[in-house]
Amino acid sequence: MPVLPLPEAGALLRPFAPADAPSLAMHANDRGIWLNLRDRFPHPYSLADAEAYIAMVNSEEGQRGLHLCVEVAGEAVGSISLLFKHDVSRRSAEIGYWLGRAHWGRGIATAAVRALADYGFAHHDLARIYAVVFAHNATSGRVLEKAGFTLEACLRHAVTKDGHTMDGMLFALVR
């Protein structure tokens, strides 16, 4: 598992450790974060949820992807993952990420996306990395664009979250 420094002082991507659970739970327990993620991300987000997530990413199941902690000043403040695809999509990976609200607007998410995408292309046989962003989350779309991704499509009525069906915006970075 890599350790990838980020341009923000004291920020890096690294493997998760069990000791990260309290900080992860604190930052993840935010409805505003939950509204922009898949339903498998719980809300409220408890310490038990953080412990289970860290155990999963450090298990054999978790090794099918690349899951890293976003650390700032020694504290776990978010997560970023590459989920490797299979069969005819075997040279593709989906990127997903979230960052604690206290760290928004500092370029950390953009730097994390750029660093993990660069690592993915350098160390895996990938031709494409993509993300689907909920249409109401323009900020995440800007993160991806600043990291070099291009908006490829609007997937009409593709996602349902919190009782609302909406468009998904497909962004991709190709080698």
Side-chain angles (χ1 to χ4, degrees):
M1 295 288 276
V3 174
L4 306 173
L6 301 177
E8 170 87 10
L12 57 91
L13 304 180
R14 60 159 174 81
F16 279 99
D20 294 323
S23 179
L24 195 66
M26 181 190 70
H27 287 284
N29 191 28
D30 181 327
R31 183 171 166 80
I33 290 170
W34 174 80
L35 282 170
N36 292 305
L37 298 175
R38 294 192 173 150
D39 285 344
R40 69 178 174 232
F41 189 92
H43 184 74
Y45 197 102
S46 69
L47 178 60
D49 293 320
E51 290 168 343
Y53 177 73
I54 292 168
M56 185 280 297
V57 301
N58 289 321
S59 73
E60 187 175 321
E61 175 189 353
Q63 302 309 307
R64 289 184 247 157
L66 181 56
H67 307 277
L68 296 174
C69 174
V70 180
E71 177 186 299
V72 176
E75 180 182 20
V77 300
S79 180
I80 188 165
S81 298
L82 275 181
L83 304 175
F84 300 107
K85 302 305 172 182
H86 307 283
D87 199 4
V88 295
S89 298
R90 65 187 165 272
R91 296 192 67 218
S92 294
E94 182 176 11
I95 195 166
Y97 52 90
W98 67 268
L99 184 65
R101 186 181 298 265
H103 300 280
W104 291 0
R106 294 170 40 195
I108 296 169
T110 298
V113 167
R114 187 176 295 127
L116 189 56
D118 289 348
Y119 181 88
F121 284 130
H123 296 277
H124 298 276
D125 184 28
L126 295 174
R128 169 187 184 80
I129 299 173
Y130 70 92
V132 176
V133 174
F134 301 165
H136 67 257
N137 191 359
T139 301
S140 191
R142 284 193 299 278
V143 163
L144 291 163
E145 287 175 335
K146 288 190 285 183
F149 285 65
T150 301
L151 176 62
E152 289 188 340
C154 172
L155 307 173
R156 296 177 51 219
H157 299 279
V159 295
T160 301
K161 181 69 179 188
D162 198 30
H164 302 283
T165 299
M166 65 195 94
D167 297 344
M169 309 307 290
L170 175 65
F171 291 84
L173 181 65
V174 295
R175 186 186 302 226

